[in-house]
Amino acid sequence: MPRLVVVSNRVPLPSERGPQAGGLTVALADALQPGSLWFGWSGRRSGQPHAEPRQHRADGITYGTIDFTEADYRAFYVGFANGALWPLLHFRLGLVNFRREDYEGYRSVNRRFAEALTPLLRSDDLIWVHDYHLFPLAEELRRLGVTNRIGFFLHTPFVPPTLLHVLPRSTELLRAMCRYDVVGFHTQTYRQAFLDCVHDILGISAGSDGGFLCAGQRVRAVVDPIGIDAEGFAEAAVQAERSAEARRLRESLGGRALAIGVDRLDYSKGLVSRFEAFARLLGKYPEDRRHVSFLQIAARSREDSSAYQRLRRELDQLVGDTNGRFSEFDWVPLRYMTRAVRRQTLAGFYRVARLGLVTPLRDGMNLVAKEFVAAQDPLDPGVLILSRFAGAAEDLTEALIVNPFDADAMADAMHQGLSMAHSERLRRYRALRERVWDTTAAKYCATFLSYLGQGHVPSPQRILQDAL
Ligand code: ADP
């Protein structure tokens, strides 16, 4: 078996993981067998970072990390990746802030990643690169003579050619994506958008399997939806339902239904329109007023960006307005906390909830939608309200699918969910459950690795070892 090398912007060392295990850590748990290497940024900024990576071992996995300078962090991470690429890939052109010096910083960090990683590589390693921070990494590795198979997976949506053109230097980035052997997306829509860009901008047509040839490199664009450990999460929810936290939550509801939202505090998550829709529900359907409480858990994120600071102020104001308008002396309609909550605790909260509100304006996949489904009580399940612009909506079609730009329609869906008959809740839940159990994290890894492993030519040492 060749060794797997995972590369992502941030490497979460086991000793430093907080209360929420990141989506990627959970998703890759099956792929990262002992012997694997995970390489990326340590999360630290230092004045004079070492060129050579620091190496740590835990549970048989080697973690290779490098530090950033403050300038790297500003240009690569805050500037180009999160200030230009993230809004573009989430269709928020008004928030795209392109600065040439940030782009240069982005390219130079990718070069540094390649220089630090190359000496650690073996000739038959399979290299799996994650996300928009690292579009040019394969190009940099190839420049250093790396001929291994390299795969890339994009965890965000991809945009059609008319939008990609908005970003200066996008043609360069698109060409860089074509230095990978495999390029993976969560949905058919994103893959098609990528292939349309390759066609319209680079003039290359792909075959029906998403394969094409670009400057001598054979590339295959594939669809592979990420999932969760459905069985593990369902078990955690059963346990957590009996926890002190879930009990306290249930008692605090005083018999009312719970609507829950769980997100990073990010403008792509549609929190402003979700809060507006909830206020409309209370205004339009007075009978729901005293029968529902909405708990929004929004973990703070990217706080050194002004777009995120503005969002936070806007949400603070909306919460104040809504609660000021509708609260009664013994009922606060909207509970809002900007903290992360342990996964285990979250699982219990999802299970207590009657409504799960997952209404991003645009989202690569959205794992919260799958977690909510997995956590439900099969005999008395809650209702998932899901944005049509979340990648998850391509599969989870039995949710109440909403347009997050239409606050009235979302309010109507909330009302429909609160009053939905038990038989309909069961029918929808069973269909959703099947999809969530069908697209797990383990399947996501196995599918991608099978694409990446195809065409793998074993090294001479490997052939010798196998022959002995
Ligand atoms: P994104 O990757 O954009 O943050 P996803 O919905 O795909 O969005 O994944 C988010 C992951 O982080 C999920 O596993 C979710 O449970 C977790 N998460 C999101 N918000 C919180 C929060 N406030 N507290 C704890 N965990 C959270």
Side-chain angles (χ1 to χ4, degrees):
M1 281 278 288
R3 178 176 71 154
L4 175 64
V5 176
V6 168
V7 190
S8 63
N9 169 47
R10 181 80 168 84
V11 172
L13 293 178
S15 55
E16 294 170 2
R17 285 175 199 162
Q20 68 192 125
L24 196 58
T25 311
V26 175
L28 296 181
D30 273 295
L32 281 163
Q33 295 298 321
S36 310
L37 168 67
W38 191 343
F39 180 87
W41 176 38
S42 61
R44 273 193 292 273
R45 290 174 252 168
S46 63
Q48 291 247 292
H50 287 287
E52 276 149 39
R54 221 177 277 121
Q55 294 194 48
H56 319 250
R57 275 176 78 83
D59 300 328
I61 296 167
T62 303
Y63 296 86
T65 58
I66 56 170
D67 295 347
F68 286 171
T69 62
E70 188 60 33
D72 292 335
Y73 176 74
R74 292 267 143 225
F76 162 84
Y77 183 73
V78 180
F80 191 68
N82 289 336
L85 285 175
W86 177 269
L88 176 81
L89 293 168
H90 290 85
F91 293 58
R92 298 296 292 274
L93 298 189
L95 296 175
V96 173
N97 185 7
F98 175 84
R99 299 189 325 156
R100 197 170 282 187
E101 57 274 31
D102 291 342
Y103 180 70
E104 297 306 332
Y106 175 81
R107 296 295 311 210
S108 98
V109 167
N110 270 274
R111 209 168 304 128
R112 208 131 55 67
F113 261 56
E115 286 162 359
L117 175 61
T118 302
L120 306 182
L121 293 175
R122 302 175 192 156
S123 58
D124 64 345
D125 283 342
L126 292 177
I127 306 169
W128 186 3
V129 179
H130 288 266
D131 233 358
Y132 59 96
H133 311 87
L134 301 174
F135 281 135
L137 186 62
E139 185 170 81
E140 299 295 348
L141 288 168
R142 302 274 183 233
R143 203 168 276 157
L144 296 174
V146 174
T147 55
N148 300 49
R149 283 186 60 86
I150 314 177
F152 175 82
F153 196 90
L154 183 64
H155 290 273
T156 67
F158 201 75
V159 289
T162 42
L163 261 71
L164 194 67
H165 278 309
V166 168
L167 186 74
R169 319 298 273 272
S170 57
T171 305
E172 247 172 67
L173 287 180
L174 189 63
R175 281 214 179 88
M177 286 177 81
C178 298
R179 301 308 306 274
Y180 289 94
D181 295 275
V182 181
V183 182
F185 301 91
H186 287 309
T187 70
Q188 295 287 354
T189 311
Y190 308 158
R191 179 177 81 149
Q192 194 52 51
F194 170 70
L195 292 176
D196 289 346
C197 290
V198 168
H199 178 267
D200 293 9
I201 300 172
L202 305 183
I204 300 172
S205 303
S208 57
D209 67 347
F212 60 90
L213 193 66
C214 178
Q217 170 77 53
R218 179 138 286 287
V219 189
R220 177 125 184 246
V222 302
V223 177
D224 183 17
I226 197 168
I228 61 168
D229 167 14
E231 200 55 51
F233 203 82
E235 277 164 24
V238 173
Q239 299 274 328
E241 196 188 14
R242 294 192 283 266
S243 69
E245 284 104 334
R247 225 183 11 252
R248 272 173 55 201
L249 174 60
R250 195 173 260 131
E251 278 164 14
S252 76
L253 292 169
R256 293 183 189 91
L258 175 70
I260 194 166
V262 175
D263 307 78
R264 260 186 324 103
L265 216 165
D266 191 291
Y267 50 75
S268 65
K269 303 293 180 182
L271 294 169
V272 169
S273 43
R274 191 182 305 166
F275 286 6
E276 280 170 359
F278 184 66
R280 278 180 195 239
L281 169 82
L282 302 178
K284 266 176 95 166
Y285 298 99
E287 67 272 30
D288 285 338
R289 264 186 219 170
R290 304 223 48 226
H291 296 293
V292 63
S293 289
F294 172 20
L295 169 63
Q296 175 64 52
I297 303 176
R300 290 195 290 269
S301 168
R302 303 180 193 170
E303 289 184 276
D304 37 16
S305 149
S306 57
Y308 290 73
Q309 290 158 7
R310 278 199 304 278
L311 171 68
R312 211 173 143 196
R313 282 198 296 275
E314 193 175 357
L315 291 172
D316 285 348
Q317 174 150 15
L318 259 173
V319 175
D321 289 350
T322 306
N323 282 337
R325 186 167 156 217
F326 292 104
S327 284
E328 293 178 22
F329 67 88
D330 61 348
W331 171 62
V332 176
L334 208 174
R335 307 173 186 190
Y336 172 58
M337 45 193 280
T338 58
R339 242 181 291 135
V341 172
R342 285 172 47 240
R343 275 176 79 70
Q344 175 87 14
T345 309
L346 272 186
F349 287 4
Y350 290 137
R351 195 169 171 99
V352 170
R354 168 51 55 91
L355 290 185
L357 305 181
V358 181
T359 57
L361 304 180
R362 195 67 66 167
D363 208 336
M365 170 55 73
N366 199 297
L367 292 176
V368 169
K370 297 190 174 186
E371 291 170 355
F372 179 80
V373 172
Q376 294 310 299
D377 177 350
L379 300 177
D380 187 20
V383 176
L384 175 64
I385 297 185
L386 180 61
S387 161
R388 58 188 286 192
F389 302 121
E394 204 161 276
D395 265 345
L396 302 184
T397 50
E398 300 296 323
L400 291 180
I401 303 288
V402 293
N403 179 347
F405 294 92
D406 187 344
D408 277 296
M410 280 204 284
D412 294 341
M414 290 178 195
H415 178 68
Q416 185 187 348
L418 286 170
S419 46
M420 189 179 283
H422 182 249
S423 56
E424 185 176 350
R425 280 193 282 125
L426 275 185
R427 181 180 61 72
R428 288 178 182 271
Y429 163 75
R430 285 183 184 140
L432 293 173
R433 185 182 196 282
E434 203 169 297
R435 310 267 162 66
V436 171
W437 261 253
D438 203 40
T439 54
T440 58
K443 185 166 174 196
Y444 161 75
C445 291
T447 305
F448 194 85
L449 291 178
S450 79
Y451 285 125
L452 187 57
Q454 266 169 34
H456 175 72
V457 183
S459 66
Q461 296 97 307
R462 169 72 52 194
I463 294 169
L464 251 174
Q465 267 171 18
D466 290 349
L468 288 173

